[in-house]
Amino acid sequence: MAEKGKPIGNMKFGLGIDGTKELGNTLDQLTKQFKQAESAMKANVKAFDGAGNSVEALEQKYSDLTDVVKIQEKRIDVLNKRRDEAIKKYGAESKQVQSLNTQINNQTARYNALNSQLQKTGKEYIQSKAGVTDLTKAIKDNERETAQQVKA
């Protein structure tokens, strides 16, 4: 069984979002970070595949999804800024603005799907962790009762 902090196969991949300020916030850079974070998330899911919905696997999935959602938010912000600039430069009815609106809509749909998955994983994690806590308490109670019976 996997120990806390030790994923199955001793594999743990991660990507911090902290580096986005140093690298800048261009759409290309955010897209690369998103793909990297998504790749790390897939690798972690594979590493925990045998563990099913263990607390550790759900915790890692939640962490990975949080990183991906943050990057996706930044991508949408960059697209919104680009659209605002395009409106000033080309007008609200221009092809450039229409194209950016389509991109924003697509990225927003992707964000909503990821956010929904994040919330679902968060609920599963909380329920799983509560179940482990209850089980641990029951085991300790059982050990105490057994120790008392042995003494008797």
Side-chain angles (χ1 to χ4, degrees), residues 7-25:
I8 295 174
N10 293 325
M11 292 174 52
K12 186 172 181 182
F13 302 94
L15 173 71
I17 186 118
D18 301 334
T20 56
K21 290 181 183 166
E22 292 84 21
L23 294 174
N25 284 330

Side-chain angles (χ1 to χ4, degrees), residues 83 86-98 101:
R83 182 188 57 195
I87 289 172
K88 290 177 186 174
K89 189 173 183 179
Y90 304 109
E93 301 301 319
S94 68
K95 288 182 182 180
Q96 292 86 350
V97 172
Q98 289 174 1
N101 282 336

Side-chain angles (χ1 to χ4, degrees), residues 1 51-59 120-136:
M1 178 160 215
N53 280 348
S54 71
V55 175
E56 293 85 7
L58 289 169
E59 185 176 28
K120 181 182 173 190
T121 301
K123 287 178 185 176
E124 290 174 4
Y125 171 67
I126 290 168
Q127 290 172 347
S128 181
K129 191 167 185 172
V132 169
T133 303
D134 292 345
L135 184 60
T136 302

Side-chain angles (χ1 to χ4, degrees), residues 53-105:
N53 280 348
S54 71
V55 175
E56 293 85 7
L58 289 169
E59 185 176 28
Q60 185 63 48
K61 183 177 179 183
Y62 186 82
S63 174
D64 291 342
L65 279 168
T66 300
D67 290 344
V68 170
V69 166
K70 286 179 183 178
I71 294 170
Q72 188 66 11
E73 283 177 359
K74 288 187 177 196
R75 289 171 79 183
I76 293 169
D77 288 343
V78 169
L79 285 170
N80 280 323
K81 288 176 186 173
R82 281 188 180 178
R83 182 188 57 195
D84 292 344
E85 291 170 7
I87 289 172
K88 290 177 186 174
K89 189 173 183 179
Y90 304 109
E93 301 301 319
S94 68
K95 288 182 182 180
Q96 292 86 350
V97 172
Q98 289 174 1
S99 174
L100 287 166
N101 282 336
T102 300
Q103 289 178 40
I104 290 168
N105 291 339

